[in-house]
Coordinates of all heavy atoms in Angstrom, one line a residue:
A19 N 1.9 73.4 -22.1 CA 1.3 73.7 -20.8 C 0.1 74.5 -20.9 O -1.0 74.2 -20.3 CB 2.3 74.4 -19.9
L20 N 0.1 75.6 -21.7 CA -1.0 76.5 -21.8 C -2.2 75.7 -22.5 O -3.4 76.0 -22.2 CB -0.6 77.7 -22.6 CG 0.3 78.6 -21.9 CD1 0.7 79.8 -22.8 CD2 -0.3 79.2 -20.6
V22 N -2.8 72.5 -22.3 CA -3.3 71.7 -21.2 C -4.2 72.5 -20.3 O -5.3 72.0 -19.9 CB -2.2 71.0 -20.4 CG1 -2.7 70.2 -19.2 CG2 -1.4 70.0 -21.3
I23 N -3.8 73.7 -19.9 CA -4.6 74.5 -19.0 C -5.9 74.9 -19.6 O -6.9 74.9 -19.0 CB -3.8 75.8 -18.6 CG1 -2.6 75.4 -17.7 CG2 -4.7 76.8 -17.9 CD1 -1.6 76.6 -17.5
G24 N -5.9 75.2 -20.9 CA -7.1 75.5 -21.6 C -8.1 74.4 -21.6 O -9.3 74.6 -21.3
V25 N -7.6 73.2 -21.8 CA -8.5 72.0 -21.8 C -9.0 71.8 -20.4 O -10.2 71.5 -20.2 CB -7.8 70.8 -22.4 CG1 -8.6 69.5 -22.2 CG2 -7.4 71.0 -23.8
A26 N -8.1 71.9 -19.4 CA -8.5 71.6 -18.0 C -9.6 72.6 -17.6 O -10.6 72.3 -16.9 CB -7.3 71.7 -17.1
Q27 N -9.5 73.9 -18.0 CA -10.5 74.9 -17.6 C -11.8 74.6 -18.3 O -12.9 74.9 -17.6 CB -9.9 76.3 -17.9 CG -8.8 76.7 -17.0 CD -8.3 78.1 -17.3 OE1 -8.6 78.7 -18.4 NE2 -7.6 78.7 -16.3
N30 N -13.4 72.1 -16.3 CA -13.6 72.6 -14.9 C -12.9 71.7 -14.0 O -13.4 71.3 -12.9 CB -15.1 72.6 -14.6 CG -15.4 73.4 -13.3 OD1 -14.7 74.3 -13.0 ND2 -16.5 73.1 -12.6
R31 N -11.6 71.4 -14.3 CA -10.7 70.6 -13.5 C -9.4 71.4 -13.1 O -9.0 72.2 -13.9 CB -10.3 69.3 -14.2 CG -11.5 68.3 -14.4 CD -12.0 67.9 -13.1 NE -13.2 67.0 -13.3 CZ -14.0 66.6 -12.3 NH1 -13.7 67.0 -11.0 NH2 -15.1 65.9 -12.5
P32 N -8.8 71.1 -12.0 CA -7.6 71.9 -11.6 C -6.5 71.6 -12.6 O -6.1 70.5 -12.9 CB -7.2 71.2 -10.2 CG -8.5 70.7 -9.7 CD -9.3 70.2 -10.9
Y33 N -5.9 72.7 -13.1 CA -4.9 72.6 -14.2 C -3.6 72.0 -13.7 O -2.9 71.4 -14.4 CB -4.7 73.9 -14.9 CG -3.9 75.0 -14.0 CD1 -2.5 74.9 -13.9 CD2 -4.6 76.0 -13.4 CE1 -1.8 75.8 -13.2 CE2 -3.9 76.9 -12.7 CZ -2.5 76.9 -12.6 OH -1.8 77.8 -11.8
S34 N -3.3 72.1 -12.4 CA -2.1 71.6 -11.9 C -2.0 70.1 -12.0 O -1.0 69.5 -12.3 CB -1.9 72.0 -10.4 OG -3.0 71.6 -9.6
I35 N -3.1 69.4 -11.7 CA -3.2 68.0 -11.8 C -3.0 67.6 -13.3 O -2.3 66.6 -13.6 CB -4.5 67.5 -11.3 CG1 -4.6 67.8 -9.7 CG2 -4.6 65.9 -11.5 CD1 -5.9 67.5 -9.1
A36 N -3.7 68.3 -14.2 CA -3.6 67.9 -15.6 C -2.1 68.1 -16.1 O -1.6 67.3 -16.9 CB -4.5 68.8 -16.4
L37 N -1.5 69.2 -15.7 CA -0.1 69.4 -16.1 C 0.9 68.3 -15.6 O 1.8 67.9 -16.3 CB 0.4 70.8 -15.5 CG -0.1 72.0 -16.3 CD1 0.2 73.3 -15.5 CD2 0.5 72.1 -17.7
V38 N 0.7 67.9 -14.4 CA 1.5 66.8 -13.8 C 1.3 65.5 -14.7 O 2.3 64.8 -15.0 CB 1.2 66.5 -12.4 CG1 1.9 65.2 -11.9 CG2 1.6 67.7 -11.5
L39 N 0.1 65.2 -15.0 CA -0.2 64.0 -15.9 C 0.5 64.1 -17.2 O 1.1 63.2 -17.7 CB -1.7 63.8 -16.0 CG -2.4 63.4 -14.7 CD1 -3.9 63.3 -14.9 CD2 -1.9 62.0 -14.2
V40 N 0.4 65.3 -17.9 CA 1.0 65.5 -19.2 C 2.5 65.5 -19.0 O 3.2 64.9 -19.9 CB 0.5 66.8 -19.8 CG1 1.3 67.1 -21.0 CG2 -1.0 66.7 -20.1
L77 N 5.6 83.4 -7.3 CA 4.5 82.7 -6.7 C 4.1 83.3 -5.4 O 2.9 83.4 -5.1 CB 4.9 81.2 -6.6 CG 5.2 80.4 -7.9 CD1 5.6 79.0 -7.6 CD2 4.0 80.4 -8.8
I140 N -3.0 75.7 -4.5 CA -3.4 76.1 -5.9 C -4.6 75.3 -6.3 O -5.6 75.8 -6.7 CB -2.3 76.0 -6.9 CG1 -1.2 77.1 -6.5 CG2 -2.8 76.3 -8.3 CD1 0.1 76.9 -7.4
S141 N -4.5 74.0 -6.4 CA -5.5 73.1 -6.8 C -6.8 73.2 -6.0 O -7.9 73.3 -6.5 CB -5.1 71.7 -6.9 OG -3.9 71.5 -7.6
S144 N -8.9 76.6 -6.3 CA -9.7 76.6 -7.6 C -11.0 75.8 -7.3 O -12.1 76.2 -7.8 CB -8.9 76.1 -8.8 OG -8.6 74.7 -8.6
D285 N -1.3 87.6 -12.1 CA -2.1 86.3 -12.4 C -1.4 85.6 -13.6 O -1.2 84.4 -13.6 CB -3.5 86.7 -12.8 CG -4.4 86.9 -11.6 OD1 -4.0 86.5 -10.5 OD2 -5.5 87.5 -11.7
A288 N 2.2 84.3 -12.7 CA 2.2 83.2 -11.8 C 1.7 81.9 -12.6 O 2.1 80.8 -12.3 CB 1.2 83.5 -10.7
L289 N 0.8 82.2 -13.5 CA 0.3 81.1 -14.4 C 1.4 80.4 -15.2 O 1.5 79.2 -15.2 CB -0.8 81.6 -15.3 CG -1.5 80.5 -16.2 CD1 -2.3 79.6 -15.4 CD2 -2.3 81.2 -17.3
I290 N 2.3 81.3 -15.7 CA 3.4 80.8 -16.5 C 4.4 80.0 -15.6 O 4.8 78.9 -15.9 CB 4.1 81.9 -17.2 CG1 3.2 82.5 -18.3 CG2 5.4 81.4 -17.8 CD1 3.8 83.8 -18.9
A291 N 4.7 80.6 -14.4 CA 5.6 79.9 -13.5 C 5.0 78.6 -13.0 O 5.8 77.6 -13.0 CB 5.8 80.8 -12.3
N292 N 3.8 78.6 -12.6 CA 3.2 77.3 -12.2 C 3.1 76.3 -13.3 O 3.3 75.1 -13.1 CB 1.7 77.6 -11.7 CG 1.8 77.9 -10.2 OD1 2.4 77.3 -9.4 ND2 1.1 79.0 -9.8
S293 N 2.9 76.7 -14.5 CA 2.8 75.8 -15.7 C 4.1 75.1 -15.8 O 4.1 73.8 -16.0 CB 2.5 76.6 -17.0 OG 1.3 77.3 -16.9
L294 N 5.2 75.8 -15.8 CA 6.5 75.2 -16.0 C 6.9 74.2 -14.8 O 7.4 73.1 -15.0 CB 7.6 76.2 -16.1 CG 7.5 77.0 -17.5 CD1 8.6 78.1 -17.5 CD2 7.8 76.0 -18.6
F296 N 4.8 72.6 -12.6 CA 4.0 71.4 -12.6 C 4.4 70.5 -13.7 O 4.3 69.3 -13.6 CB 2.5 71.7 -12.6 CG 2.0 72.2 -11.3 CD1 1.5 73.5 -11.0 CD2 2.0 71.3 -10.2 CE1 1.1 73.9 -9.8 CE2 1.5 71.7 -9.0 CZ 1.0 72.9 -8.7
L297 N 4.7 71.0 -14.9 CA 5.3 70.2 -16.0 C 6.6 69.5 -15.5 O 6.8 68.4 -15.8 CB 5.5 71.0 -17.2 CG 4.5 70.9 -18.4 CD1 5.0 71.7 -19.6 CD2 4.1 69.5 -18.7

Side-chain angles (χ1 to χ4, degrees):
L20 293 177
V22 171
I23 292 172
V25 173
Q27 289 183 339
N30 198 26
R31 293 296 174 189
Y33 72 81
S34 54
I35 297 172
L37 283 169
V38 171
L39 291 174
V40 171
L77 296 176
I140 292 172
S141 305
S144 65
D285 280 344
L289 181 69
I290 293 172
N292 273 310
S293 300
L294 289 175
F296 281 113
L297 258 187

